[in-house]
């Protein structure tokens, strides 16, 4: 009888743990399905990330200040990256980044991203009345710094600035 009680208590504990995990995981899953607020700011930056559908490694070869500022101190030379693109629905983007070493063990980077649509036309309200033409602009900037602690270990941080106008 004692073994049966232990088995029953163990099963009840397992069921309670599963319920707890489901209660905690449900909002996380819902957020992932519905998207995050400001997700347009986390769109791919750079040609490699854009071609990979937004995926990027933790050790990029360029745009380190954007993706992983700790990787800045592993750079071998100065890097200047500039690019522009035309996205679906007439949206445009442009980005620039400059990353450089500060001898002996530090590095710094500055990155700027523009996304916008200067000509949003044919707008109507919920009653189908015409509205004035519009536009939106989003500027995102990051300043990052990195310190090389050991050969394969570095620490970094970045400061982000966001501007949005609709």
């Amino acid at each position: 009888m004692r073994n049966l009680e232990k088995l029953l208590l163990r099963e009840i504990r397992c069921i309670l743990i599963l319920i707890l995990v489901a209660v905690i995981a449900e909002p996380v899953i819902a957020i992932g399905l519905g998207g995050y607020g400001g997700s347009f700011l986390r769109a791919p930056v750079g040609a490699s990330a854009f071609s990979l559908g937004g995926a990027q490694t933790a050790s990029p070869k360029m745009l380190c200040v954007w993706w992983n500022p700790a990787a800045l101190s592993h750079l071998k030379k100065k890097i200047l990256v500039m690019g522009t693109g035309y996205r679906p629905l007439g949206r445009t983007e442009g980005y620039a980044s400059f990353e450089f070493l500060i001898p002996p063990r530090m590095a710094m980077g500055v990155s700027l991203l523009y996304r916008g649509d200067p000509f949003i036309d044919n707008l109507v309200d919920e009653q189908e009345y015409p509205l004035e033409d519009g536009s939106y602009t989003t500027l995102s900037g990051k300043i990052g710094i990195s310190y090389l602690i050991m050969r394969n270990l570095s620490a970094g941080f970045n400061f982000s600035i966001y501007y949005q106008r609709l």
Side-chain angles (χ1 to χ4, degrees), residues 9-10 12 24-25 28-31 33 50 57 72 75-76 95 107 113-114 117 125 136 138 150 152 156-158:
L9 282 174
R10 188 179 310 157
I12 289 173
I24 291 172
V28 173
I29 293 169
I31 288 171
L33 292 175
F50 195 76
T57 67
L72 284 167
L75 296 174
K76 305 292 185 220
Y95 60 89
L113 169 69
Y114 162 80
D117 188 350
D125 63 10
Y136 84 90
T138 301
M150 295 187 319
N152 291 326
F157 73 94
N158 68 13

Side-chain angles (χ1 to χ4, degrees), residues 58-60 63-75 105-108 144-158:
S59 181
L63 291 165
C64 295
V65 68
W66 193 271
W67 294 107
N68 183 3
L72 284 167
S73 57
H74 295 281
L75 296 174
R105 303 175 75 86
M106 293 183 71
M108 186 173 176
I145 193 161
S146 175
Y147 182 76
L148 186 64
I149 298 169
M150 295 187 319
R151 194 174 83 164
N152 291 326
L153 179 65
S154 60
F157 73 94
N158 68 13

Side-chain angles (χ1 to χ4, degrees), residues 2-156:
R2 197 147 177 87
N3 288 337
L4 183 61
E5 288 175 2
K6 286 182 180 179
L7 184 62
L8 187 60
L9 282 174
R10 188 179 310 157
E11 287 192 20
I12 289 173
R13 260 189 259 142
C14 288
I15 290 171
L16 288 175
I17 289 172
L18 287 174
I19 290 171
L20 182 64
V21 167
V23 168
I24 291 172
E26 183 181 4
V28 173
I29 293 169
I31 288 171
L33 292 175
Y36 297 97
S39 60
F40 61 92
L41 296 172
R42 291 184 289 278
V45 176
S48 65
F50 195 76
S51 66
L52 294 169
Q56 184 59 284
T57 67
S59 181
K61 301 253 188 281
M62 57 187 73
L63 291 165
C64 295
V65 68
W66 193 271
W67 294 107
N68 183 3
L72 284 167
S73 57
H74 295 281
L75 296 174
K76 305 292 185 220
K77 57 186 175 183
K78 296 177 188 173
I79 297 176
L80 174 65
V81 178
M82 297 173 70
T84 185
Y86 184 77
R87 305 195 68 193
L89 303 174
R91 296 175 290 163
T92 57
E93 73 174 22
Y95 60 89
S97 178
F98 182 59
E99 300 161 353
F100 55 94
L101 295 169
I102 303 172
R105 303 175 75 86
M106 293 183 71
M108 186 173 176
V110 179
S111 184
L112 182 68
L113 169 69
Y114 162 80
R115 287 212 166 100
D117 188 350
F119 309 108
I120 303 176
D121 53 2
N122 300 324
L123 297 173
V124 293
D125 63 10
E126 54 271 352
Q127 283 84 30
E128 300 294 325
Y129 292 115
L131 296 172
E132 292 182 33
D133 293 345
S135 67
Y136 84 90
T137 300
T138 301
L139 288 172
S140 305
K142 294 193 180 207
I143 300 169
I145 193 161
S146 175
Y147 182 76
L148 186 64
I149 298 169
M150 295 187 319
R151 194 174 83 164
N152 291 326
L153 179 65
S154 60

